[in-house]
Amino acid sequence: MGNLITQASILATFQKLTTAEVLAGMTFRAAYALNLEDRGKLEPGKKADFVTFKTNNFQNVLYNQEALKPNMFILTEIVFIK
């Protein structure tokens, strides 16, 4: 399978998807497809496991996937509170 971000970048190129469409497919749309409606979005009351990247442009996550390393992992099931 390989790296999820790399696979997503390849998919985006071949299917002509925007970065927002790819990230949506890896987050809330995937959660919805798995009937996990309590997660997938950063909203009050939803569970949030996520990774942050040090960048000022979210598109860099796909375009620079080998150069851009995660700077924080939130891997416990926490509830995101606004």
Side-chain angles (χ1 to χ4, degrees):
M1 290 266 315
N3 183 305
L4 177 62
I5 299 294
T6 301
Q7 297 296 321
S9 181
I10 293 167
L11 176 67
T13 301
F14 284 106
Q15 296 298 318
K16 296 182 173 72
L17 300 174
T18 66
T19 303
E21 290 172 320
V22 172
L23 294 175
M26 292 173 21
T27 56
F28 74 91
R29 289 185 180 152
Y32 180 79
L34 296 170
N35 291 319
L36 300 172
E37 296 179 18
D38 64 338
R39 61 196 79 197
K41 294 181 181 181
L42 293 177
E43 292 180 350
K46 296 215 177 196
K47 294 179 181 175
D49 293 348
F50 58 96
V51 177
T52 63
F53 296 89
K54 191 171 180 108
T55 180
N56 61 356
N57 183 341
F58 76 96
Q59 294 174 324
N60 290 336
V61 175
L62 291 183
Y63 296 137
N64 299 316
Q65 71 273 117
E66 293 302 321
L68 191 63
K69 301 298 181 199
N71 67 334
M72 186 186 319
F73 295 86
I74 309 298
L75 297 175
T76 58
E77 289 193 1
I78 61 168
V79 176
F80 178 80
I81 300 172
K82 189 174 182 181

